Amino acid sequence: MAKLFQLPKGTRDILPDEQPYWMQLDQVIREITQIYGYEPLSLPIFEDTALYKRGVGEATDIVEKEMYTFSDKADNSITLRPEFTAGVVRSYIQHGMASWPTPVKLWNTGPVFRYERPQAGRFRQFHQFNAEAIGEQDPALDFEIMDMAWQLYDRLQFQNLSFQLNSIGCPDCRPGYLKVLKSYYKKYFDSICDDCRNRLDKNPLRLLDCKQDRCQPVIEKAPAIYDHLCEACAGHFNKLREYLNAADLTFTLNHCLVRGLDYYTKTVFEVWAEGVGSQNAVCGGGRYDGLVELLGGKPTPAVGFAAGLDRTVMIMQNKKQDRLKIDPSVYFACQHAEARKQAIIYVKQLRERNISCLMGLGERSFKAQFREADRRNVRYVVIIGDAELESRTVILKKMETGEQKSLNADQLIRHLDREPGF
Ligand code: HAM
């Protein structure tokens, strides 16, 4: 027997039943990006591996463990994008966008790839909506980015969301904080996990992100970075919080929020939601004032976020809101090929009027065709048999009530055309 192929682990097919949620989400993304003045940018799905190594950071989980990297036929090292930001910045520099009106505001959507351990809400191929605003230091832009993320979920009528906020400082003040953090952690060296012992030297900020139970009490009492910011970072953070308060955007200060990518400076935030398994972050982002320069451009501040669309759709589905799928309106049940010849003409006329139609195909009894119409949830069945062909009429049956009437061609088109909701 031929081998039955299965999906690669961590990927999934998005079946027709789920698609209406994606279309609705797509619609909301198009609305908000337009309202907030962000322009679409499409990027390749793969880039030079070195872009991500440098941009995302060598010591991150993404670069160390999760990239889909391969050599192409010319022996170039290529990586499937694990996120958008590094690619957006590469494009910003390559196309001289620094000369465009500032800030340059861009958005993208599409699949991204990370070799992670799959579980509920965590995939190896997933989808992001990503927005970046490049070229401006003003905390009002951090506010705008957070507000746009808020709007996305507000328009989708999500409740029980929480905005987690932190500032992780800049290259001026972070080293001082890391010294304080390390000396605090050294006292607990014997009680922390092996990974954290490693992080202590390699990437101490990530100590605060450890999920191991034994490390939680140490994390909780760790010194908070926002108490060790330089004047510029503290001023920026205070202003942002003032803006958020003025706009009534509620947030939780979270000194453990450090994010898994190395480019962040100052503001970092995540949006957490219930209903996506253990993976509760539906959205994450922050400011990355050093990345443009790191990737070869002039020093340029920037801020952005990415929303995880698979997790967002999971919540939309859990909310059990109105059925989003649009069912076909009319099903033509035909006695035989001659009746179908007539039905083809009606179907064409109705489709031209944007009415969705289906037709019973093949040699099947009326009973079998009605069964199909029922399974497909259609609103009306139009019956064409010998008697109807003879009298140049059809029978229109309303499925909900069982009510039937005999109509001629004109009456049929007019009747269905007037029906609300088609
Ligand atoms: P990130 O936090 O790595 O940020 O990813 C953003 C969102 O993508 C997460 O909040 C989550 O909803 C979703 N996500 C991440 N990994 C998975 C996965 N394995 N399966 C399903 N969903 C996932 C970034 O990617 C940054 N580039 C965001 C950014 C833009 N920062 C500044 N600008």
Side-chain angles (χ1 to χ4, degrees), residues 285-311:
R287 183 163 273 286
Y288 50 96
D289 290 344
L291 186 60
V292 177
E293 191 181 5
L294 188 69
L295 296 179
K298 295 210 175 86
T300 311
V303 57
F305 77 89
L309 299 186
D310 307 74
R311 292 181 191 174

Side-chain angles (χ1 to χ4, degrees), residues 62 82-86 112 114 116 121-128 130-132 153 259-261 263-264 270-271 279-288 303-312:
I62 294 181
E83 60 117 41
F84 280 98
T85 313
V112 288
R114 293 183 195 173
E116 291 196 77
R122 196 205 277 160
F123 309 100
R124 290 181 175 171
Q125 174 175 334
F126 58 100
H127 302 79
Q128 284 186 341
N130 183 75
E132 312 288 359
Y153 294 110
R259 311 272 302 130
L261 306 100
Y263 46 64
Y264 290 109
E270 283 185 357
V271 181
Q279 309 300 308
N280 53 7
V282 284
C283 173
R287 183 163 273 286
Y288 50 96
V303 57
F305 77 89
L309 299 186
D310 307 74
R311 292 181 191 174
T312 303

